[in-house]
Amino acid sequence: MGQPSQAREKLLNTAIELMSARSYADVGVQELCEHAAVKKGSFYHFFPSKRDLALAALDRQWEVVQREVLERAFDEQVPPLKRLERCFELFYDHHCGVKAQTGRVLGCPFGNLAGELSTQDEGIRLRVVRIFNGLASYIERALRDAVKAGEVPEMDTSTAAQAVVAYLEGIMLLAKATNEPGLIKQLGQSSIRGLVAGMAAPRTPPERKRRAVGE
Amino acid sequence: MGQPSQAREKLLNTAIELMSARSYADVGVQELCEHAAVKKGSFYHFFPSKRDLALAALDRQWEVVQREVLERAFDEQVPPLKRLERCFELFYDHHCGVKAQTGRVLGCPFGNLAGELSTQDEGIRLRVVRIFNGLASYIERALRDAVKAGEVPEMDTSTAAQAVVAYLEGIMLLAKATNEPGLIKQLGQSSIRGLVAGMAAPRTPPERKRRAVGE
């Protein structure tokens, strides 16, 4: 098992490093092999194509995010809404670390691939959607606990969880564009509670009375 | 001026069509010329490189978004927070139209390029940041009016505007990943008021008392 599985591991790590730093399209099989010091034959032994390597890299990155961010942030010992804030704080810490290492905020690897490839590769699109749904599950559990604990009013926790995923992904995209990890902390802290609390609001929007005619 | 400026226009429209549908990296100069029925010499007469065409395409798309979405949504005759809701509604309408035409939600062209190229092309990154700032300006004006009108409490309208841009970009990314334009309407309607209202909250977060020791 020694050599071959080391080669697979090296390819996976190289794909994560290079594709996160640039893009899927910008990194070719030749460069991946050279950077990982793995022969092309070995590449195709483990991965039928670059796309298969990218799918394996997505799975690996999802495992890491769950272990290093989500399992820690969504600890059930922590008050429910505080878990959401911790999630943004831990992503902030992570992106600060990445910037210290690479000079760059690289954004969310799942969001990056969703943006680049959703219209081009159905397999990658569906894998990313599954990961987004996995992320939403952590958030929804915290929201259900927040409702039970009376921290927030009754709400459609499934939609609210999607709203938080969208907010988190948008923040990571802005942090990447501006190369400012501080945005993740600042925007997470200042509005996540409002975003969640607002999910209960649509039942009585303040302008509803003005459009009563159209109802 | 007939022929040459027509060629430039055709190249611009082709770049917008093909890059929005796929990605920057996936569309080459050769294909752009063929699709636009423009000779390569003509391409390089107008644009020193694909990157320059992409920059011009960004400017053009920003003009269109301002004219067709932002100027209409942020009409000062409309109550301030209602303008924000209209912004999400008009983006929803736009993406429904795109999906009807192409079968796909293509996401935000600015967010797409930010995700793909921010670490790779400083010129494109800065142009997209300028566009995000332009979008934030429309939102911030509405928020300042909302504070004046008493629709929301006093807040840091600049940070709140960035939060709304992040939320909007994240929603368009999720809509692209799931190929569901409905998300733009649903998530916009259900939480934009909460997100904004929440920006005033951090001054008195409910858990502040519990951590008074650390202050």
Side-chain angles (χ1 to χ4, degrees), chain A residues 10-212:
Chain A
K10 280 197 261 177
L11 286 167
L12 254 182
N13 291 334
T14 302
I16 289 170
E17 181 191 339
L18 300 186
M19 288 178 186
S20 298
R22 284 145 55 196
S23 66
Y24 175 83
D26 201 55
V27 180
V29 170
Q30 179 74 30
E31 183 183 2
L32 285 163
C33 290
E34 281 170 17
H35 198 278
V38 165
K39 293 205 177 100
K40 243 188 196 173
S42 191
F43 181 104
Y44 289 112
H45 172 72
F46 292 110
F47 304 105
S49 67
K50 182 173 87 166
R51 172 178 179 267
D52 293 279
L53 173 56
L55 285 167
L58 276 174
D59 290 343
R60 170 63 59 86
Q61 285 168 297
W62 175 233
E63 283 164 29
V64 172
V65 166
Q66 285 183 93
R67 192 175 59 236
E68 296 187 1
V69 176
L70 303 176
E71 294 295 339
R72 291 170 58 199
F74 291 96
D75 178 347
E76 298 197 354
Q77 303 302 311
V78 176
L81 288 187
K82 185 71 195 152
R83 294 177 213 161
L84 291 183
E85 290 178 350
R86 272 175 66 138
C87 174
F88 281 81
E89 279 163 22
L90 289 172
F91 273 119
Y92 164 72
D93 291 344
H94 170 77
H95 287 280
C96 284
V98 170
K99 189 176 177 185
Q101 255 190 323
T102 67
R104 284 287 177 185
V105 177
L106 305 182
C108 169
F110 317 122
N112 290 344
L113 279 202
E116 184 184 355
L117 296 177
S118 286
T119 56
Q120 298 185 78
D121 189 307
E122 198 62 4
I124 287 180
R125 179 180 83 77
L126 292 172
R127 191 72 57 102
V128 172
V129 168
R130 206 166 74 190
I131 290 170
F132 283 159
N133 287 339
L135 176 56
S137 296
Y138 281 90
I139 296 165
E140 193 180 353
R141 225 171 299 138
L143 291 176
R144 280 199 303 258
D145 288 351
V147 171
K148 264 190 233 154
E151 284 193 313
V152 292
E154 281 282 343
M155 67 175 66
D156 172 354
T157 52
S158 163
T159 302
Q162 279 189 302
V164 176
V165 171
Y167 189 49
L168 180 61
E169 286 298 324
I171 285 175
M172 288 199 276
L173 183 64
L174 250 61
K176 179 175 186 175
T178 56
N179 202 29
E180 288 290 352
L183 271 184
I184 302 171
K185 192 172 191 174
Q186 189 192 11
L187 297 184
Q189 274 183 343
S190 55
S191 38
I192 191 65
R193 283 172 186 266
L195 179 67
V196 169
M199 297 303 294
R203 288 170 200 170
T204 54
E207 85 292 5
R208 179 61 59 90
K209 287 169 211 136
R210 290 184 213 139
R211 354 177 249 207

Side-chain angles (χ1 to χ4, degrees), chain A residues 176, chain B residues 24 112-122 124-125:
Chain A
K176 179 175 186 175
Chain B
Y24 175 82
N112 290 343
L113 278 202
E116 184 184 355
L117 296 178
S118 286
T119 56
Q120 299 185 78
D121 189 305
E122 199 60 6
I124 287 181
R125 180 180 84 77

